[in-house]
Structure formats: structure tokens, C-alpha cells
Amino acid sequence: MIIGKGSAETEAGVMPSQELVDDMIAYNESLARAGVLLAAEGLHPSSRAARIAYGKGKPKVIDGPFAETKEIIAGFWLIQVKSREEAIEWALRVPVPEGEEGVGLEVWEVFDAADMPETSMTPETARRDRAVREGLEAERPDS
């Protein structure tokens, strides 16, 4: 997963320039042509978000906006690649405006059921997990 970090501009709801939108669409098209794109979405400012904090007792809902811009996510790409290095190569191609302060990306590996030790799932749990994933695959428009 490639996570696009938020900035003061994204938090203010400033929309990207037409040039950046066109560049993002071209980037998404290249991911799709390569067969690695699973999802790509931009996110609204944190003023439209909520956090749920867990502790003792009932979970607490905290409405945005959130003060720490460095903790804000502006968007993400979910890609399926063969290695961390390939994910980083794709992340390095993300179009980012010149001179944008505070803008950055993070690359995270998504945990897959295949990554779990066999002893952590019962056969019934593994069967149920497979059924959910197969159902999602069947619902994809390109399936």
C-alpha cells in the first residue's frame, strides 16, 4: 500500500491543479496497465473523518479535524507486486508537485492470510477467510 501523506493544503480542502489530476490519472493508468493496481483513492480532509479510541470501557469517537498534519492521510494506492523493492519503485513514480513542503509517501506491506503461521488459524477459520476473499474476487467488475 502506498499512502499519500496529507499537508496543510489537503487539510484545507484545496483541490489539486488540473495538471496534477492529469498526472495522477496517467500514473493510475500505468499501474492498471501493469496489472498491479487494486485500488486508488483520494481522501477528504480530516474535518470529515472520525477516530475511534479504545481503552477501558466504551470506545470513544473523536471527530476531526485532527491537529497533527503529519498523521493525516490524503490518499492511497493498493497495489499487488512481487517485492518491497517493486512497491518502492512504483511509489517513486507518484506525481508530486515540485516544492511541496511536508508531502511524503509511505509504503506498507499489507498482511495477507498466507503470511499467517498455520498454527494461528484453525481449518474452519482458514476456510471462512478463503470464502470471504473468493466472494470479493467474484464481485470485482473485471472478474
Side-chain angles (χ1 to χ4, degrees):
M1 174 181 275
I2 302 169
I3 299 170
K5 303 299 281 182
S7 66
E9 289 79 21
T10 62
E11 272 300 277
V14 175
M15 298 306 292
S17 68
Q18 186 61 53
E19 180 183 9
L20 182 56
V21 170
D22 291 342
D23 290 347
M24 286 289 188
I25 298 292
Y27 175 72
N28 292 346
E29 289 170 338
S30 68
L31 288 165
R33 276 192 307 276
V36 300
L37 182 63
L38 300 177
E41 301 296 340
L43 302 176
H44 285 283
S46 70
S47 60
R48 295 181 63 177
R51 286 186 176 153
I52 302 176
Y54 292 91
K56 293 182 180 177
K58 188 175 176 184
K60 181 179 177 185
V61 176
I62 304 160
D63 290 323
F66 307 124
E68 288 294 324
T69 307
K70 66 183 179 196
E71 297 176 4
I72 303 298
I73 298 171
F76 68 91
W77 293 265
L78 189 57
I79 59 175
Q80 188 166 30
V81 295
K82 292 180 176 75
S83 68
R84 177 180 184 268
E85 292 72 26
E86 185 180 357
I88 290 170
E89 286 175 23
W90 280 110
L92 288 169
R93 298 179 198 168
V94 171
V96 176
E98 246 339 273
E100 279 284 317
E101 288 296 319
V103 173
L105 299 172
E106 292 181 3
V107 177
W108 287 70
E109 186 173 354
V110 175
F111 202 91
D112 186 83
D115 297 326
M116 294 187 68
E118 287 184 32
T119 57
S120 66
M121 272 208 262
T122 66
E124 173 61 14
T125 302
R127 183 199 62 74
R128 290 172 51 213
D129 181 69
R130 265 192 318 280
V132 168
R133 292 172 188 279
E134 288 168 1
L136 290 172
E137 282 292 319
E139 291 177 15
R140 279 202 183 145
D142 60 347
S143 295

